[in-house]
Amino acid sequence: MELNDVQRQAVEHPGGPLLVLAGAGSGKTRVLTGRIAHLVKERGVPAWGILAFTFTNKAAREMKERAVQLLGTDEKDLGVWLGTFHGTCVRILRRHAELLGFPKAFVIYDTDDQRSLLKELLRAIGADDRRLTPAGAGSRISRLKNEGVTPEAFSAQASGPLDGQLAGVYAGYEKALRARAAMDFDDLLLHTVRLFDLDAAVHRQYADRFRHVLVDEYQDTNSIQFELIERLSRTHKNLMVVGDDDQSIYGWRGADVANILSFEDRYPDATVLRLTQNYRSTRTILRAANHVVKNNAARKEKELWTENAVGELLGLHLLPDEEAEGERVVSLLLEEKRLKGRANRDFAVLYRTNAQSRSVENALRRSAIAYQLTGGVSFYERREVKDILAYLRALTQPRDTVAWYRIVNVPSRGIGKTTLDRFRAFAEAEGLLVPEALRHPRLTDAVGGAAARKLTEVAQLFEGMSPLLSLSPAACLTELVAKIRFREYLMEDNPAEASERIENVEELITGADAYARRAEEPTVDGFLSEVALLSDVDLWEDGEDTVNLMTIHSAKGLEFPVVFVVGMEEGLLPHASSLDHPKELEEERRLFYVALTRARERVFLLQASFRRTWNASGGGASRFLTEIPADCLVVEEADRYPATARPSRPARAAHGPRIVRDEDHDQAKERSPVGAWVSHPQFGEGQVVACEGRGDRAKLTVQFRRAGTKKILAAFAEWSYAD
């Protein structure tokens, strides 16, 4: 196996704690599997004495395949314990669960099982706080378990009535799991650590067996995973961890970047190696990525380099709105296919939130370009989107029974399955459609008085909303969402996911507005027809040659020849929730770094000057754009865009780029001015989108609000806004 010098040092490390800082595309999987092969073939370590942790089954499969090749064996005889944290813990617990009071044949509860159980518990205790939903309680309990906090410990530290109630639910939940001989996903790790603490002999059995412990993606470990690793390696300290602090992007689900940043503090005798040679990307892409991520304070110093070609400049494309953004993705994609013979699979479109896929999906569908979503479902297949569309269908066509049954109890109206089963049987027996059955005099006899009243109230609700159909599609949707209190329902239904689900509803309204602007005679019926046609996935999912649409989080660990990053605006990337939190803002910057380093050959960055989100305009250029060297970017000329393509100046906020005072004028022009705001005596106010040269002689490409894009000398620009 061919290795560079640093990779070889990692593979042949003599022993003791080893931290391998493996930059993006630096061959970390090769190093990990090479290390396993070296230990077995060169050092005589029995394969069964090696334990390797991964975070995904995909990564585990890839490592197993490579290890099998290197060791010249088959997977059954590999011997190495190589798998995910959860998979490894199940193997241990199946052997020793009885020591924890569980049978060896314990069951594993998934998220739906967990929520069903929590629903029972909340109903039993009469929980009336709407913030304490099954999903919300499950999310809080999961976080507590990942931090190693027991019900007893949480009860002791609980403050306020909500925490007090949650403490009771947490304790009851744990008791109920035991009664059902069940563990949830978080329990698999937590109970393994408890097992080691409870039984010294069992702990010694595994600590003595696994004389070498290897951990992939160490930057993504949480507290309980750290505790597990520490207990398995504390005696021999033959611990090899591989990771990249610059790719730590899962803080929102409990990952602690401090685990990798403080490794040398915990292991003072540790060897630290940096894999900085990148085998994936061009020099230009790496230069841009390096310049962005070095703005983070909490990181290990390193800089990726490559022997690959310089490559093409990153393309920065300024669009008037998100609809133009989607269309520009398609036009660039088609141009790349025409000029370079690329296949659909060569392209990835990355975004910060799932809601952003809508405009890209629509543009791809209109051009009959096959695509697939990774890490999520198609926009129009998302539950909250389908629910609102079902309301529209039931309003426009009361005989649409499928739509009515979908939303009759959304939001919850106390109409249960038994009632609906009785109503359905009654309607079918009488040969009635839903509207007729709701008005039938024998409805009460069929379903009961209370149930009949609830069903009648739903019918009256729909009758009261029928005038909404005379409004524009976007206005109709806006009023509908308000009348049924859908946002409140989403917040109550699943607080942990409410924000993203509300964003999806907002994006649906944005899509309705976009439809109205291009339709000759826009109607609600017409909008539904368009959506129905766009939802036909037969063409788009036929075969594997598809454009890849995914969040940046989902793209981690993947690579593509060409990457589009859409939504390069303040409030999206970085996300609005991070702007007032320095740690979270640094994670957003790492997220952008991950997006850039997914690309092998080309990167296209797209920013919308105006993004419709329930009448909210865009937030202006992402601060991350100003961190890319100007000589790494090429900006699309304005004459390629409609006359409406004008930058919208973002509202100023304390977290945003600072105001440049007169005394800073010269200094401002010495820095990369891309993203800055300037004033010109003739053209007015505009935003700098490209720069050639430095100082007063620099040639600025400025997208003016009134005059379009012009090239001017920096000397003639009055600087009003810069990073």
Side-chain angles (χ1 to χ4, degrees):
M1 183 173 62
E2 189 174 340
L3 301 168
N4 64 38
D5 290 342
V6 185
Q7 289 174 335
R8 185 172 293 103
Q9 291 179 54
V11 166
E12 298 177 356
H13 176 65
L18 171 64
L19 168 62
V20 180
L21 294 168
S26 63
K28 67 177 179 65
T29 302
R30 173 177 293 192
V31 168
L32 282 164
T33 53
R35 176 68 173 170
I36 292 172
H38 175 79
L39 289 172
V40 174
K41 296 173 71 174
E42 305 300 328
R43 301 269 295 278
V45 176
W48 50 262
I50 301 171
L51 172 62
F53 287 115
T54 67
F55 269 84
T56 66
N57 290 311
K58 177 178 178 295
R61 288 194 300 271
E62 184 179 351
M63 287 179 62
K64 282 180 180 177
E65 290 171 0
R66 294 197 187 187
V68 163
Q69 292 175 357
L70 292 173
L71 293 173
T73 183
D74 57 45
E75 188 172 328
K76 290 190 299 182
D77 299 325
L78 181 60
V80 178
W81 274 37
L82 200 165
T84 65
F85 280 92
H86 291 92
T88 300
C89 288
V90 168
R91 293 182 72 175
I92 295 172
L93 290 170
R94 290 295 185 203
R95 302 179 181 189
H96 309 286
E98 292 174 341
L99 296 173
L100 297 169
F102 289 87
K104 292 181 180 179
F106 62 86
V107 298
I108 302 172
Y109 272 11
D110 62 15
T111 301
D112 287 342
D113 298 324
Q114 179 193 53
R115 291 179 182 177
S116 295
L117 181 54
L118 286 168
K119 186 176 182 179
E120 288 180 28
L121 294 171
L122 289 168
R123 185 168 55 244
I125 65 173
D128 56 1
D129 195 319
R130 293 187 173 183
R131 293 173 294 174
L132 198 61
T133 63
S139 180
R140 289 285 306 279
I141 290 171
S142 178
R143 178 61 69 95
L144 290 169
K145 288 187 176 184
N146 285 328
E147 294 172 354
V149 180
T150 65
E152 296 76 21
F154 181 66
S155 180
Q157 69 184 41
S159 60
L162 186 63
D163 275 4
Q165 203 169 44
L166 180 63
V169 172
Y170 187 9
Y173 174 67
E174 290 296 278
K175 184 177 180 181
L177 285 174
R178 287 186 173 274
R180 291 160 173 76
M183 299 184 192
D184 62 27
F185 288 138
D186 301 308
D187 283 332
L188 300 176
L189 278 70
L190 187 60
H191 285 322
T192 303
V193 171
R194 289 174 176 169
L195 173 67
F196 291 161
D197 292 345
L198 177 69
D199 195 301
V202 173
H203 175 219
R204 189 165 54 252
Q205 173 186 339
Y206 290 96
D208 288 347
R209 170 177 177 162
F210 299 122
R211 305 299 295 178
H212 290 270
V213 178
L214 292 73
V215 185
D216 189 18
E217 303 286 6
Y218 188 66
Q219 78 280 349
D220 293 333
T221 55
N222 59 30
S223 297
I224 199 67
Q225 288 163 339
F226 170 81
E227 294 294 335
L228 178 65
I229 294 165
E230 192 276 334
R231 280 161 176 75
L232 287 167
S233 61
R234 69 169 49 150
T235 55
H236 53 73
K237 290 188 170 57
N238 290 323
L239 172 63
M240 175 186 185
V241 301
V242 180
D244 183 7
D245 52 299
D246 289 334
Q247 296 187 73
S248 179
I249 59 174
Y250 295 113
W252 52 275
R253 69 182 189 192
D256 189 356
V257 70
N259 287 346
I260 193 168
L261 294 177
S262 63
F263 188 86
E264 295 159 271
D265 297 330
R266 294 189 171 108
Y267 301 96
D269 57 338
T271 299
V272 180
L273 298 174
R274 288 171 168 80
L275 298 180
T276 57
Q277 182 174 0
N278 176 282
Y279 296 92
R280 175 186 301 158
S281 306
T282 66
R283 296 181 195 178
T284 300
I285 292 172
L286 291 185
R287 185 163 181 264
N290 286 330
H291 273 259
V292 169
V293 80
K294 72 180 182 181
N295 287 278
N296 276 356
R299 65 184 294 265
K300 299 282 190 180
E301 188 60 37
K302 57 189 170 302
E303 186 164 322
L304 295 184
W305 63 278
T306 186
E307 294 179 348
N308 294 341
V310 173
E312 298 181 75
L313 299 179
L314 283 67
L316 175 58
H317 297 263
L318 308 179
L319 289 309
D321 55 30
E322 71 281 1
E323 301 302 319
E325 181 183 63
E327 293 296 336
R328 188 62 181 140
V329 167
V330 169
S331 66
L332 289 167
L333 185 152
L334 292 173
E335 189 173 77
E336 284 283 309
K337 292 178 70 172
R338 178 176 61 84
L339 295 177
K340 300 180 181 178
R342 300 191 190 276
N344 288 333
R345 66 173 63 88
D346 293 334
F347 301 95
V349 183
L350 308 183
Y351 34 81
R352 178 62 177 84
T353 67
N354 277 312
Q356 293 170 254
S357 74
R358 183 199 56 82
S359 61
V360 180
E361 285 189 69
N362 283 354
L364 289 168
R365 284 166 167 159
R366 283 193 287 269
S367 298
I369 298 173
Y371 72 91
Q372 62 176 331
L373 284 101
T374 303
V377 297
S378 171
F379 178 84
Y380 294 105
E381 292 298 314
R382 293 166 190 162
R383 179 159 66 92
E384 57 277 7
V385 173
K386 288 178 72 72
D387 287 341
I388 294 300
L389 289 174
Y391 267 98
L392 284 189
R393 287 165 48 193
L395 280 173
T396 59
Q397 180 47 266
R399 296 191 299 175
D400 189 341
T401 302
V402 172
W404 189 86
Y405 279 113
R406 179 180 180 91
I407 45 79
V408 64
N409 202 42
V410 177
S412 178
R413 302 181 175 99
I415 302 173
K417 182 178 181 300
T418 301
T419 294
L420 288 178
D421 287 345
R422 289 174 178 171
F423 177 77
R424 194 190 303 268
F426 165 69
E428 290 177 355
E430 298 292 331
L432 303 172
L433 296 171
V434 167
E436 300 163 341
L438 288 171
R439 294 189 296 267
H440 201 281
R442 291 199 301 275
L443 177 63
T444 300
D445 294 336
V447 300
R453 284 193 296 273
K454 291 176 181 177
L455 290 170
T456 301
E457 287 173 1
V458 176
Q460 292 170 346
L461 172 68
F462 274 88
E463 291 173 2
M465 291 194 298
S466 58
L468 298 182
L469 295 174
S470 63
L471 303 175
S472 71
C476 176
L477 282 170
T478 301
E479 291 295 319
L480 169 64
V481 168
K483 284 184 178 295
I484 65 173
R485 296 177 58 81
F486 198 66
R487 279 177 285 177
E488 292 81 356
Y489 157 69
L490 293 177
M491 294 176 66
E492 295 168 7
D493 181 58
N494 189 342
E497 299 175 3
S499 177
E500 183 165 329
R501 296 176 70 189
I502 290 171
E503 287 180 0
N504 289 336
V505 175
E506 294 173 350
E507 191 66 14
L508 180 65
I509 296 173
T510 298
D513 182 61
Y515 153 77
R517 285 184 285 108
R518 64 174 175 267
E520 291 185 7
E521 296 181 6
T523 63
V524 174
D525 272 332
F527 175 62
L528 286 171
S529 296
E530 177 169 289
V531 169
L533 292 172
L534 291 174
S535 296
D536 186 359
V537 299
D538 291 342
L539 175 62
W540 327 127
E541 297 185 354
D542 185 20
E544 298 180 357
D545 186 27
T546 56
V547 177
N548 300 278
L549 273 61
M550 63 188 74
T551 64
I552 304 172
H553 286 99
S554 298
K556 188 168 175 290
L558 305 177
E559 60 181 73
F560 306 90
V562 182
V563 167
F564 298 89
V565 186
V566 299
M568 290 301 306
E569 302 128 43
E570 290 286 301
L572 274 179
L573 188 63
H575 197 273
S577 61
S578 71
L579 296 179
D580 295 321
H581 306 280
K583 283 182 64 177
E584 294 178 16
L585 186 59
E586 291 209 344
E587 181 158 315
E588 292 292 303
R589 183 175 283 107
R590 293 194 294 267
L591 195 61
F592 182 47
Y593 173 83
V594 167
L596 292 176
T597 54
R598 297 313 91 197
R600 294 202 294 265
E601 300 171 25
R602 292 221 66 180
V603 172
F604 295 104
L605 307 172
L606 294 95
Q607 175 202 342
S609 295
F610 186 82
R611 192 173 294 274
R612 299 166 183 81
T613 306
W614 280 359
N615 299 320
S617 62
S622 167
R623 69 187 67 194
F624 301 150
L625 291 175
T626 67
E627 297 170 357
I628 298 173
D631 59 2
C632 289
L633 285 169
V634 60
V635 182
E636 183 68 29
E637 295 292 335
D639 60 7
R640 300 280 297 274
Y641 295 101
T644 57
R646 302 287 185 265
S648 59
R649 184 164 183 170
R652 301 299 311 126
H655 54 257
R658 68 183 180 88
I659 300 293
V660 176
R661 310 298 179 189
D662 290 340
E663 60 266 28
D664 299 324
H665 180 262
D666 292 337
Q667 183 183 354
K669 287 186 290 187
E670 290 299 319
R671 298 197 301 269
S672 173
V674 175
W677 284 85
V678 298
S679 295
H680 187 273
Q682 180 180 350
F683 304 130
E685 189 177 54
Q687 191 174 26
V688 180
V689 296
C691 175
E692 301 173 24
R694 299 174 65 108
D696 284 338
R697 290 178 166 267
K699 293 180 180 179
L700 307 177
T701 302
V702 182
Q703 190 178 22
F704 291 99
R705 301 176 73 179
R706 299 191 310 271
T709 295
K710 304 289 184 182
K711 288 190 176 182
I712 63 173
L713 286 175
F716 296 100
E718 180 183 348
W719 297 70
S720 59
Y721 174 73
D723 181 42

